[in-house]
Amino acid sequence: MMKHEKDLDPPRVFSKRLLASLAATICLTGAGYIWHQNPEQFKWNLDYFEASQGVNYDSVCLETKPIAPSNVESLNKVLHDPEYKKEAIKKLSGALKIPTEIQDTNPSPSEDLDYYSEFFKFHKYLEEQYPLVHKHLKRELVNEVGLVYTWKGSKPELKPIMFTAHQDVVPVNKNTWKSWTYPPFSGHYDEETDLIWGRGAIDCKNLLLGELASIELLLSEGYTPERSVVLSFGFDEESSGLLGANYLSKFLQERYGDDGIYALVDEGGAISAISENTYVATPVTAEKGYVDLHFSVHGHGGHSSVPPDHTTIGIASDLISLLEDNPYDYTFTEENPVYGYLTCKAKFDDTIPEPIKKAIIEAPSSKAKRNQLFEWLDQLKPLRELFRTSQAVDIISGGLKANALPEVTTFLVNHRIDVTSSVEATINKDLQHVKDIASKYDLGITVDGQVLSPATSNGYIEITSEKALEPAPNSPTKNSTVWDLFTGTIQDVFTNHIFAGQDIDFYVTTSMSSGNTDTKYYWPLTKNIYRFFPVVFDPEVMKIVHSVNEHVSADSHLQVIAFFYEYILNVNEYAANEA
């Protein structure tokens, strides 16, 4: 049952196109992905909403001023030169042929260096394909496999700009290989469709090579930045980043100190259509928190022929039902970056009925409108989870034999924590339900080794937390020259180059991820963290991230190169006096 500020129960009506569009444009990752959803058809009774008196859009989803460097001649080369495109395709295709797969659990390089042999082939490949980068930039290995490149600027007193990506890709299930149109590590380029196929095409060798290619091009033109550029490439983002970005962040923090980086760009949100002629870029400026909670119901064994009223499995099931029947409350704050995206949808998407648009725009000042917004969001999976802490019962274990009572039953609940909440608040909320069950069955309670109430003759419930991570700090966007320069570059590259001559309106707004990228380790380095793929993505493409037939268009790869090329120039031209 949905919970918010007021109980609501209207019938629903909703367009399939809108649901797909919403889900497709908000990003989530454990590695920066655009969501795609196959929604059900909903019905919505618009009489539930107040009659619309018109919606004031004057303060939401405003145009961003484009910012361009003095010389943008090479952008035409990147975006329109057939020979440059051919070489870029060849380089990405070759990178996709190297299976830098990473598992959930991986040995430390100090324990088993051979385990990372494909990564060393990848390093050699990068050296061959980007000779100027490897001639002019300092390359360092961190924890044997992580890569740091430093392009030293002429003004070392300025904070460096930092770009990140990860070398690793998720494994390809051997049983699915025959389902791929082209083999997953073939790097096949289909000239007819302009698509490059292979694991990592989107996530995220496309990004990694795009960052290197932009610097290679600048070096070929004899360019030297005033502000240093740092590239940091982890190698286990798809598992946890514990061996890669964790070590890289400490290495870089020791070198540059707290808040020693001007801004950081990593994988994240992208660009997509929100109406027929309107596109929006959605850089991710925050991430939800994370915690896994393990619940163990400890009881007594015995013969199954003389069972108690409730076994530990039964008690655990009762607790699971209680948790699932009481989801976390929705919360609203204008500081939630997803709200920026919602206002753009309200302003430009004609498939949203006017009363719902009014509820979105007026939610900050009206409790009633917030309740209507929550009721609307409750129909939108997975968008709704960005406005509350999510919970998912993912693993359960109990019992060994048909004629033996289960002494212990355990289950795991995965939480992605709302930006307004915390790890502590998440544990406390679940603990209240545990207390209810413990009282019902006369059991003790232990939380992370602390005894809250002693075990009884019936047993006790134990809670242990794991992988706790607070929600990421919001990157500054208001009154931030760093944000203005970043978004101004996006605006210029896409409005004045990629969409040039087309009848398209283009906007930049904020978004958020329910997953976590490698940036969770980089928080001390800078508050200006932007998780963004400078790419126009079709929602259909994102169905195959981490799945069969991952591919990316060649033009998308060129867009990545063009953005980083211009962003480096803009940062050096317009932020030259900012420490």
Side-chain angles (χ1 to χ4, degrees):
M1 144 180 231
M2 184 190 65
K3 298 173 66 181
H4 50 67
E5 295 173 308
K6 179 181 176 183
D7 291 334
L8 304 169
D9 190 25
R12 295 120 181 147
V13 95
F14 219 72
S15 91
K16 201 169 189 179
R17 174 188 153 198
L18 172 59
L19 287 171
S21 176
L22 278 168
T25 27
I26 304 284
C27 245
L28 85 82
T29 83
Y33 311 129
I34 299 203
W35 287 353
H36 184 87
Q37 177 87 343
N38 292 318
E40 301 173 349
Q41 194 76 30
F42 292 103
K43 292 200 172 201
W44 195 285
N45 180 7
L46 296 179
D47 292 337
Y48 170 74
F49 293 86
E50 296 177 8
S52 175
Q53 301 300 317
V55 184
N56 183 359
Y57 296 114
D58 291 346
S59 63
V60 301
C61 200
L62 305 178
E63 284 190 0
T64 299
K65 179 182 178 182
I67 301 175
S70 302
N71 186 355
V72 293
E73 209 171 300
S74 287
L75 279 188
N76 291 324
K77 177 180 180 179
V78 172
L79 296 171
H80 305 299
D81 185 331
E83 285 303 311
Y84 187 87
K85 179 177 180 176
K86 182 179 178 181
E87 284 301 307
I89 292 169
K90 181 180 176 182
K91 292 177 192 293
L92 180 56
S93 174
L96 299 179
K97 294 177 181 179
I98 305 172
T100 51
E101 295 175 294
I102 208 75
Q103 305 297 325
D104 281 341
T105 303
N106 308 281
S108 168
S110 61
E111 297 170 352
D112 185 0
L113 202 56
D114 290 342
Y115 182 85
Y116 298 95
S117 59
E118 295 296 335
F119 288 83
F120 298 124
K121 293 177 186 177
F122 185 61
H123 294 179
K124 183 172 177 55
Y125 179 78
L126 296 180
E127 189 173 354
E128 294 168 350
Q129 299 303 314
Y130 302 101
L132 295 179
V133 167
H134 288 81
K135 178 180 179 181
H136 295 281
L137 274 65
K138 181 180 180 180
R139 193 196 80 162
E140 298 169 280
L141 291 174
V142 178
N143 199 19
E144 306 292 348
V145 190
L147 289 171
V148 171
Y149 292 88
T150 305
W151 191 9
K152 189 175 180 179
S154 60
K155 292 184 177 180
E157 68 274 14
L158 297 178
K159 294 179 181 179
I161 188 78
M162 181 170 159
F163 305 141
T164 68
H166 56 88
Q167 308 168 55
D168 56 298
V169 300
V170 296
V172 179
N173 187 330
K174 298 294 183 184
N175 295 329
T176 68
W177 276 50
K178 292 182 179 180
S179 300
W180 285 69
T181 303
Y182 302 101
F185 295 107
S186 65
H188 178 82
Y189 173 62
D190 186 334
E191 189 171 353
E192 184 176 342
T193 60
D194 198 38
L195 299 177
I196 308 167
W197 298 73
R199 174 64 85 234
I202 299 173
D203 186 17
C204 69
K205 287 180 178 176
N206 173 28
L207 182 67
L208 189 151
L209 266 66
E211 293 169 359
L212 287 169
S214 67
I215 295 175
E216 185 81 6
L217 179 56
L218 286 164
L219 287 167
S220 73
E221 297 170 342
Y223 183 78
T224 300
E226 293 184 348
R227 188 183 297 272
S228 296
V229 180
V230 176
L231 306 178
S232 182
F233 301 147
F235 59 91
D236 65 337
E237 193 274 347
E238 297 293 2
S239 60
S240 66
L242 194 61
L243 299 171
N246 180 37
Y247 280 78
L248 289 161
S249 67
K250 293 173 182 175
F251 175 84
L252 293 168
Q253 190 175 3
E254 184 175 342
R255 176 170 293 175
Y256 298 109
D258 290 347
D259 197 29
I261 297 294
Y262 170 78
L264 185 158
V265 182
D266 193 18
E267 61 180 332
I271 297 161
S272 60
I274 57 174
S275 69
E276 187 175 352
N277 296 312
T278 306
Y279 282 71
V280 62
T282 53
V284 171
T285 55
E287 291 180 338
K288 296 180 78 174
Y290 183 106
V291 68
D292 286 331
L293 294 183
H294 297 263
F295 298 82
S296 298
V297 180
H298 297 261
H300 301 287
H303 202 285
S304 296
S305 62
V306 284
D309 291 339
H310 303 280
T311 68
T312 59
I313 292 176
I315 296 171
S317 299
D318 199 2
L319 176 54
I320 290 171
S321 294
L322 187 61
L323 290 167
E324 291 192 338
D325 288 344
N326 291 275
Y328 282 70
D329 291 347
Y330 289 109
T331 63
F332 176 83
T333 169
E334 288 182 271
E335 299 306 311
N336 185 325
V338 184
Y339 185 65
Y341 169 75
L342 283 183
T343 62
C344 287
K345 289 295 291 184
K347 189 170 184 175
F348 296 108
D349 192 338
D350 291 337
T351 65
I352 301 180
E354 194 78 1
I356 298 177
K357 292 186 175 192
K358 189 175 181 67
I360 293 171
I361 301 303
E362 297 182 4
S365 59
S366 168
K367 182 177 178 179
K369 296 301 181 184
R370 288 196 293 275
N371 285 338
Q372 293 172 0
L373 172 61
F374 294 151
E375 181 67 21
W376 178 69
L377 286 171
D378 202 52
Q379 308 308 306
L380 303 179
K381 303 173 185 177
L383 176 61
R384 66 183 187 181
E385 301 306 336
L386 292 181
F387 287 88
R388 68 179 179 184
T389 296
S390 63
Q391 57 183 9
V393 183
D394 290 330
I395 302 172
I396 188 167
S397 173
L400 297 172
K401 204 170 183 299
N403 63 349
L405 297 174
E407 295 173 326
V408 181
T409 297
T410 66
F411 63 93
L412 179 146
V413 181
N414 173 261
H415 293 286
R416 306 304 173 104
I417 303 170
D418 183 70
V419 291
T420 65
S421 188
S422 65
V423 172
E424 181 180 8
T426 303
I427 295 174
N428 286 340
K429 194 266 189 184
D430 285 9
L431 179 58
Q432 293 305 310
H433 300 306
V434 169
K435 288 179 178 178
D436 291 341
I437 295 297
S439 175
K440 181 177 179 179
Y441 295 103
D442 188 26
L443 299 167
I445 301 174
T446 298
V447 180
D448 284 329
Q450 180 183 357
V451 177
L452 299 190
S453 57
T456 68
S457 59
N458 292 329
Y460 66 100
I461 301 175
E462 180 182 17
I463 307 173
T464 56
S465 59
E466 187 179 46
K467 300 180 182 177
L469 178 71
E470 299 293 347
N474 268 4
S475 299
T477 57
K478 296 178 181 178
N479 303 315
S480 168
T481 56
V482 181
W483 170 254
D484 291 344
L485 184 54
F486 177 74
T487 56
T489 303
I490 297 171
Q491 188 77 36
D492 181 68
V493 170
F494 285 87
T495 298
N496 296 326
H497 297 279
I498 292 168
F499 291 138
Q502 302 180 49
D503 183 22
I504 287 176
D505 293 321
F506 185 82
Y507 295 84
V508 185
T509 188
T510 55
S511 186
M512 186 177 65
S513 170
S514 62
N516 300 107
T517 63
D518 271 345
T519 57
K520 62 181 177 283
Y521 294 105
Y522 295 130
W523 297 349
L525 288 171
T526 178
K527 60 184 179 295
N528 303 308
I529 297 178
Y530 311 126
R531 306 159 186 88
F532 180 60
F533 275 116
V535 167
V536 179
F537 272 146
D538 183 322
E540 294 298 311
V541 172
M542 298 314 296
K543 287 182 179 180
I544 42 75
V545 173
H546 287 198
S547 188
V548 171
N549 282 335
E550 183 176 349
H551 59 266
V552 71
S553 75
D555 283 346
S556 292
H557 185 48
L558 298 178
Q559 291 165 12
V560 174
I561 299 170
F563 169 77
F564 282 101
Y565 177 90
E566 180 164 307
Y567 187 48
I568 291 171
L569 291 176
N570 271 348
V571 167
N572 280 274
E573 184 169 337
Y574 295 102
N577 297 321
E578 294 186 34

